[in-house]
Every structure is written in C-alpha cells, then in structure tokens.
Amino acid sequence: MDRKKFYITTPIYYPSDKLHIGHTYCTVATDAMARYKRLTGYDVMFLTGTDEHGQKIENKAKEAGVTPKEFLDRIVEGEKGVLDLWKLMNISNDRFIRTTDDYHCEAIQKIFRKMYEKGDIYKGSYKGKYCTPCESFWTESQLVNGKCPDCGREVHDAEEEAYFFRLSKYADRVQYLLENTDYLQPKSRVNEMVNNFIKPGLDDLCVSRTSFKWGIPVDFDPGHVVYVWVDALFNYTTALGFMNDKYHDYEKYWPADVHFVGKEIVRFHSIIWPAMLMSMEMPLPKHVFGHGWLVMDGGKMSKSKGNVVDPYVLAEKFGVDALRFFLLRTFPFGSDGNFSNELLINTINKDLANDLGNIVSRTVSMVDKYFSGTLPEEKSVTEADSDLINTASALRDKYEDDMEHFRFQKALEDIFAVIDRANKYIDENIPWVLAKDEANKARLAAVMYNILETIRICAVLLTPFMPDTANTIFDRIGADESGRTWESAGKWGTLNTAVTVKMGEALFPRIDAEKAIEELNAIQAEQRKKAMGNIVETEPLSEENVDFNTFCKSDMRAVKIKACEAVKKSDKLLKFTLDDGSGTDRVILSGIHKYYEPEQLIGKTAVAILNLPPRKMMGIPSCGMLISAVHKENGEEKLHLLLVDDSIPAGAKLC
Ligand code: MSP
C-alpha cells in the first residue's frame, strides 16, 4: 500500500551574509516536523536550499572581488557554509535546491513564458525613485528621509521598461482563500494581510529588472532578468521536477502540505505565491505557517545591528541536540522569542541536565546497582502505579495533536510534564528504601520498570527534536527497535520485562552558568567587532559655555609621577605621589586602577588640575585631579591617562 505523503519546505536562504541562529530556528523547526511525520509513517519530502539571485548578491560579489557564482559557492558549499551548518545541526532534508542550478533556471524561464503567453504577465513601464550610484529603484515608502535607503544619496524620478504580473486580477480569489480556508496560519496573520495589503488595492507586481544582470534572463527578452521572488517561490515546485527533467516527484508530492516561513515573508507566500499558482492553474499548497522571529533585546537580528548569534558557537559549546531543543522548547512557534545566552543555559540546565538527564542516569544506575543491570521477570504492580502509567500512556495523543498544529513548544512541555511526574514517582516510591529489604524485590522491579517505560515513551516522542539523544537514551534503557517506534509510544509495556540497562556518562552535564555566559559574551563581542569594525563612541560636545576668566582660573600643570601605589581595600584607586615643581610632594588619588598597574606609570609626566579643594578618599586627602581621556569602544569604557612629553618640566603651566 502507498504510504501517505507529506511535503514540507523551509524558505530558501538568501546567502548574502552568514547564517545566524534565526535562520537555524526555522530550519530546525522544519526538521523536527519532517522527522515527526516520518516517525508516524509518512513518506516525507523535506526541501531546503538557497535563493541565489538578485542585485545584493551581485554587489557583494563585486565588493569581494569575485564572480557571483564564486561568492555563492563559498557561502553555500565552503567551510562552515550553509551545507556544513545543516549537516552539523542534523537537518534531514531530502533535497537541497540552489536557484542557480540549471534545471531551475530553465524551468523558471518556461514558467515566466507561460504566464506571459496567458496574458498574466505583460510589458509596461516601472516608475519609481532611482538612485544612480546604487542602480536601484525605490518606492516612495522605501526612501529614508527622501533619500536612498542604501547609500543615503539623492534619488530622482525615473521610468524603466519592465514586465508586470496581473496580481490585481487575483485579488478577490486570494482574499477568499485567506479569509475562508486555513491556508494561512496562525489565523492571526490573516487580518494583517487582508487589511494592510489586499483591501487597500493590490497593484500589479513588477516581475522583471533591467538594472542589473545577476538573475535568470527572460528568454524572449534577454535584457530583462526575472524578479527574484518569482524565481525563488517556484523553487518549491522545480525542486520536485516541475517543468524540468532533473527530478520526477512533482505529481507525487505537490501540493506542499506546509511551507514554514518567517513572518516578514508571509506576504509573498500568502498573496503573490497563490496568485501565481492560480495563474499557472496549479494546485495551491495546503498551508503556509508564518512563524515569529528570534529577536535580541526586542530587535530583529541583523548583521548591521551587530546582534547576530552564531549557531556554530552555540552548537560547539552546548551540543547540537541541546540547541535544537532550546529553540523549539522555549518559544511558541508563531510568536517572536527573545534570545539570550542566560535563557539558553538555564533551559539546558533545568530541562536537560536536571530533569531528563538526571532521571535517565538515576534510573539506569539504580537498576545497575539493585539488579546488576537486568530486571527480574517477577514484578509487583500496584494501584500506586496507575497515575504514572495513565499519564505516560496518554502522552502520545496529546503530543500528536500539538505536532499536527505545529505547537512544538507545547509538545515538549507535555513531554516534560511526564518526566516531572516520573521524578515525583521516584520520590513517592523511594526505591533506595525498597532496596533495603529483599522481600521488596518484585515491587522494586516494578517501580524501576515503570520509570524505564516512561522514559522510553518520552524518548520516542523526543526523537524529532533530539535524534541523537533519543538514540542514546534507547541504548541506555535497553529499548530495542520495537521500543523506538511511533506505535510503541502509544503502547505501555513494550520494553522487555527482563530489560538490561547500560551505564554511561551524563547526557547533559550541568553548565556553570556564570562562566559560560561570560565566555559567550566575550566570543559574541569579538564576533560583533569583526562584523562591524571597531565602534568608538565619545561623549557629545558640551552645549554649555564656561566663561573665559573662570576657565583661566584652573591651574593645570605638568606633574612627574614619583611614586604610585594601589590604595588598600579599594579596587579602583591609585595613590600618586607627584612632583608639581613646588618642591613639596603632592598626593592625588585617581580611580584608574582598572586601566593601569602602578609600576606602568612611575616616571611618566602627566597633567593635573592643582587648585581644586582637597577631597578625602579612603581616608587619604587628594589634592587635585589627574586628567584622562575617556571614550567607549564596542560598548566598553576605555580610559587613557593624559601623558605628555617627558622633556616638559614638572610644574610647567598648561594654558
Ligand atoms: N530568500 C528568502 C526566502 C525565499 S522563499 C521562496 C528569504 N531568505 S532569508 O535568508 O532572508 O531568510 C530565510 C528565513 O529565515 C526566513 O523565513 C526568515 O524569516 C528567517 N529568519 C531570518 N532571521 C530570523 C530571525 N531572527 N528569527 C527567525 N527567523 C528568521 O527570506
């Protein structure tokens, strides 16, 4: 019998920069869904890939002094590139498309021609604001203060010949689709699309460009390249073999069951995509799910803000499964989630180290200790077991309902509620007390079995999220193939009654949070610096004038540092003994120990204001103030004591 099919996609990544944790989020979610469907017996097609055309890529390649294809190959196939990251993250895609692949480009040309021949694409002229240095058209609303949003220069009205897609023709059908079906999810995104984009009137869409070359040429008018979104959206069908001979799965898998997409590209997937499919008379995907963003301190991650988080760093430090788990456990899939290192580490420590890891290692070591690793056949099950057994047995149905509705966070919450219940069951039954009396052997065996069986059910359901961890757990608790299946997750009592466990290392060692956060912050600051260059901030200039006579009253002198020492019990203060030219030593205290060790400064010539009233600090009078230059570098305070040429004699007045 033919298995049921499930076709799921991620947005194909635009490789103008390095991938960050936000892109990883979407791909990990798609992977978990694909693995879940495979687990439940579906024949799954999971597609991901890269969206490789457009002016931005052309410009980036130029900046890097390479051809666009060379630039792309490096990001996609190079070390720590897109393919490497998906491999590291254990992404189980069945296919990977690059929109520069020949079969895709040829198919797009045929698709474009078909819509043109049908009359849904026509030639017109594109009017807009043009930035000559950037060779870019902008709409009025894209301008920033009336200037080019990329380079900030003047723009002017311009007109360019272009092809247009009759989006307006499909407005009513698209509105009907959004309002009357569950095509677009979550439902909350429908109003935004209808009210903000469809109701104000859908303009026809400009679908060709002549101002740059890096795109798929319109074959019947080669001065034009196909608009990148037309090229990109049809990847979902060309990757199956639509209008090409590279693959032959179009009939089998199309229409897609679901496209997972980030919220900012819901518009393309819920308005333009169905309209083009209607024009092509192709079936529509069953669902588009618009997920939220991972944000940092409330803002979207972007390289220009310097707040991107590198998935390689996190996966290397905490493990791939822990990272996969964190992403889907912490944030509801449809909403934005605020990423922080603290949250990541706390989640790993709580759920994975304390709860899951702990119950597996405790249980396995108890079975090892009390039964030399193998449970006896004879068990005494009592009424006290029924709550745990019922809770664990009911888990699969709840989980299934969550997963079918893309509620990953909820599915994991349900699993962890059962793990919690099992931990409580241990406290209720106190195995170490039972173990003291040989007469309790059969009861103790039943308690151990029940915990192992609960862990097994949870591990089956964790497989889509943490495939490697689930397998390790199966090995530890002695679950053979029959205990790793979807069916067995709904069947209490699958583990062999005389099961043998295997001891092993902690699944998730507890992380020293303070130390790890400090390390991560340092790595991320370093990466930020690399990505953005050094950001130096200085205080804004004062707007308040000081009258000249008052200023001249400041007695500013060159002073020689004769001695310098740290002030006891203060981690900030240094005590300077200075020659100010008067013949009597002067003592000044300054809070700059964070920046200098005393011996670095002895013998140098500094600048001080001498006629300030003496001030006591830590019981020592300070007579004046040394002058320093201060600024911020990448958010960090920097200070330089103002040192002058040593040939300037002590006491020389600065004016
Ligand atoms: N190339 C288009 C998609 C074309 S699909 C036919 C594109 N690419 S992208 O590289 O800019 O983004 C890929 C996906 O990553 C999008 O779904 C986007 O929403 C998602 N994310 C990018 N940053 C993100 C976060 N900070 N958080 C969550 N998802 C984010 O759009």
Side-chain angles (χ1 to χ4, degrees):
M1 202 182 72
D2 256 4
R3 281 190 300 155
K4 283 193 279 181
K5 315 277 183 297
F6 187 78
Y7 179 30
I8 184 166
T9 67
T10 65
I12 46 173
Y13 163 62
Y14 195 72
S16 59
D17 278 318
K18 281 218 148 141
L19 284 159
H20 56 66
I21 194 81
H23 305 111
T24 311
Y25 176 53
C26 179
T27 309
V28 164
T30 316
D31 186 65
M33 194 64 202
R35 285 177 184 271
Y36 156 73
K37 280 290 180 181
R38 285 191 205 108
L39 181 68
T40 61
Y42 276 72
D43 170 351
V44 171
M45 168 61 75
F46 165 15
L47 171 71
T48 187
T50 40
D51 174 10
E52 304 193 353
H53 290 119
Q55 182 153 31
K56 216 163 160 191
I57 300 280
E58 190 177 276
N59 293 348
K60 287 260 174 179
K62 211 182 277 170
E63 271 170 36
V66 292
T67 65
K69 188 71 170 81
E70 284 165 345
F71 174 79
L72 290 161
D73 286 350
R74 210 155 60 193
I75 298 191
V76 178
E77 292 169 2
E79 199 188 336
K80 290 202 166 178
V82 182
L83 293 174
D84 271 1
L85 180 63
W86 295 157
K87 195 163 157 209
L88 172 73
M89 293 307 299
N90 217 347
I91 302 301
S92 63
N93 56 299
D94 299 283
R95 204 154 283 172
F96 189 92
I97 186 171
R98 295 183 62 177
T99 57
T100 48
D101 290 343
D102 288 345
Y103 74 91
H104 172 79
C105 297
E106 285 157 23
I108 292 299
Q109 289 181 324
K110 289 184 198 153
I111 291 166
F112 196 91
R113 179 188 282 270
K114 188 162 174 205
M115 290 194 279
Y116 177 70
E117 284 168 355
K118 188 177 178 183
D120 275 354
I121 286 184
Y122 62 91
K123 201 169 192 173
S125 69
Y126 185 79
K127 292 194 191 85
K129 302 284 178 190
Y130 193 70
C131 172
T132 312
C134 294
E135 297 180 28
S136 293
F137 265 101
W138 303 104
T139 60
E140 196 79 52
S141 62
Q142 287 172 319
L143 301 179
V144 177
N145 300 326
K147 306 252 169 68
C148 170
D150 265 4
C151 72
R153 279 180 273 213
E154 294 294 335
V155 291
H156 62 273
D157 289 321
E159 206 171 326
E160 175 182 295
E161 188 184 79
Y163 286 91
F164 286 83
F165 171 68
R166 288 191 200 283
L167 189 57
S168 55
K169 175 175 159 186
Y170 295 98
D172 291 347
R173 280 177 68 189
V174 171
Q175 184 171 346
Y176 184 87
L177 173 77
L178 300 190
E179 287 183 332
N180 297 287
T181 71
D182 55 2
Y183 174 86
L184 177 57
Q185 294 181 4
K187 253 315 185 216
S188 54
R189 304 219 181 264
V190 170
N191 278 348
E192 188 198 341
M193 290 301 121
V194 173
N195 295 338
N196 296 359
F197 299 107
I198 302 181
K199 284 198 176 150
L202 274 186
D203 288 336
D204 287 349
L205 177 74
C206 181
V207 288
S208 77
R209 298 286 188 271
T210 51
S211 53
F212 63 92
K213 291 269 162 289
W214 187 244
I216 300 175
V218 173
D219 59 354
F220 53 87
D221 198 348
H224 293 254
V225 293
V226 175
Y227 174 44
V228 71
W229 271 100
V230 176
D231 164 0
L233 285 163
F234 275 99
N235 92 88
Y236 299 134
T237 62
T238 60
L240 298 178
F242 182 68
M243 290 211 164
N244 68 79
D245 284 329
K246 167 96 174 163
Y247 298 110
H248 300 93
D249 302 310
Y250 177 72
E251 298 297 333
K252 183 171 169 190
Y253 290 110
W254 191 258
D257 289 273
V258 64
H259 297 308
F260 278 176
V261 305
K263 64 179 186 180
E264 86 282 21
I265 57 172
V266 161
R267 182 164 72 91
F268 297 94
H269 286 81
S270 63
I271 298 177
I272 298 171
W273 183 221
M276 287 197 299
L277 288 169
M278 287 169 189
S279 167
M280 291 291 291
E281 295 167 33
M282 291 161 72
L284 304 183
K286 292 178 201 151
H287 306 293
V288 166
F289 189 96
H291 66 78
W293 285 339
L294 280 196
V295 297
M296 276 279 257
D297 306 321
K300 190 174 183 223
M301 286 182 195
S302 85
K303 195 183 159 199
S304 58
K305 284 196 217 154
N307 64 352
V308 293
V309 176
D310 184 346
Y312 276 105
V313 170
L314 301 182
E316 272 157 27
K317 267 193 148 344
F318 307 117
V320 169
D321 273 0
L323 181 56
R324 288 174 59 107
F325 172 81
F326 163 75
L327 291 173
L328 300 178
R329 167 76 171 106
T330 316
F331 315 110
F333 194 44
S335 323
D336 287 353
N338 206 349
F339 176 90
S340 73
N341 295 327
E342 289 81 349
L343 192 55
L344 169 69
I345 291 164
N346 291 341
T347 306
I348 298 175
N349 273 347
K350 180 181 179 306
D351 287 346
L352 299 182
N354 285 4
D355 294 348
L356 177 66
N358 192 28
I359 198 167
V360 173
S361 66
R362 264 171 109 188
T363 311
V364 168
S365 39
M366 285 192 281
V367 175
D368 186 71
K369 186 167 164 200
Y370 305 143
F371 300 101
S372 309
T374 302
L375 289 184
E377 292 282 353
E378 198 192 330
K379 305 208 177 52
S380 155
V381 177
T382 72
E383 199 33 48
D385 301 332
S386 47
D387 187 53
L388 177 69
I389 296 176
N390 293 341
T391 311
S393 304
L395 176 61
R396 194 187 77 164
D397 285 353
K398 257 198 207 172
Y399 168 95
E400 184 175 17
D401 186 45
D402 293 331
M403 295 299 283
E404 290 297 326
H405 294 93
F406 318 125
R407 295 190 298 252
F408 306 117
Q409 186 209 30
K410 179 73 176 36
L412 287 167
E413 196 175 294
D414 291 342
I415 296 175
F416 276 76
V418 173
I419 293 171
D420 247 18
R421 180 67 194 87
N423 266 321
K424 231 176 263 141
Y425 175 84
I426 298 181
D427 297 340
E428 287 160 5
N429 289 282
I430 332 176
W432 47 96
V433 174
L434 291 175
K436 285 190 181 145
D437 189 343
E438 196 51 29
N440 295 329
K441 267 261 137 114
R443 177 66 197 139
L444 181 60
V447 169
M448 288 292 112
Y449 183 86
N450 290 341
I451 307 165
L452 287 175
E453 189 58 359
T454 305
I455 294 174
R456 182 191 65 76
I457 289 175
C458 292
V460 174
L461 303 179
L462 281 172
T463 311
F465 298 94
M466 301 195 287
D468 288 345
T469 303
N471 277 332
T472 310
I473 296 176
F474 292 139
D475 291 343
R476 297 273 169 88
I477 64 169
D480 58 19
E481 283 309 315
S482 69
R484 303 178 181 201
T485 64
W486 175 250
E487 289 65 37
S488 77
K491 217 162 87 201
W492 181 265
T494 303
L495 266 187
N496 196 331
T497 48
V499 67
T500 301
V501 301
K502 203 159 87 195
M503 298 277 281
E505 282 174 9
L507 292 177
F508 297 96
R510 213 184 144 71
I511 302 164
D512 176 343
E514 211 171 301
K515 188 163 153 246
I517 289 168
E518 207 173 287
E519 280 170 14
L520 275 183
N521 287 345
I523 295 172
Q524 286 161 359
E526 191 54 36
Q527 288 187 330
R528 204 173 308 137
K529 204 156 110 187
K530 259 199 208 147
M532 306 184 63
N534 246 6
I535 303 173
V536 173
E537 290 167 77
T538 54
E539 279 219 7
L541 300 182
S542 172
E543 289 186 359
E544 205 184 328
N545 286 332
V546 50
D547 82 78
F548 191 68
N549 287 337
T550 310
F551 168 72
C552 288
K553 284 184 193 155
S554 306
D555 194 3
M556 232 185 304
R557 306 279 176 148
V559 288
K560 296 264 179 223
I561 303 173
K562 292 174 70 177
C564 178
E565 59 186 306
V567 173
K568 275 190 201 127
K569 293 197 186 144
S570 161
D571 41 4
K572 285 194 197 142
L573 287 176
L574 289 180
K575 178 181 165 203
F576 291 85
T577 306
L578 303 163
D579 175 1
D580 60 8
S582 66
T584 313
D585 285 349
R586 174 182 292 265
V587 170
I588 293 182
L589 300 187
S590 181
I592 62 173
H593 197 175
K594 189 171 144 199
Y595 306 96
Y596 293 98
E597 287 308 319
E599 50 279 14
Q600 280 176 275
L601 296 172
I602 296 168
K604 305 259 186 230
T605 309
V607 172
I609 301 179
L610 301 184
N611 58 338
L612 289 168
R615 196 152 71 102
K616 260 195 181 168
M617 288 185 258
M618 304 294 284
I620 308 169
S622 172
C623 303
M625 189 175 87
L626 286 166
I627 298 186
S628 296
V630 286
H631 71 284
K632 274 191 182 168
E633 214 168 288
N634 303 315
E636 199 186 325
E637 300 268 3
K638 298 270 171 180
L639 176 145
H640 297 271
L641 183 66
L642 196 66
L643 296 173
V644 293
D645 194 326
D646 286 338
S647 62
I648 300 174
K653 187 167 168 76
L654 277 81
C655 51

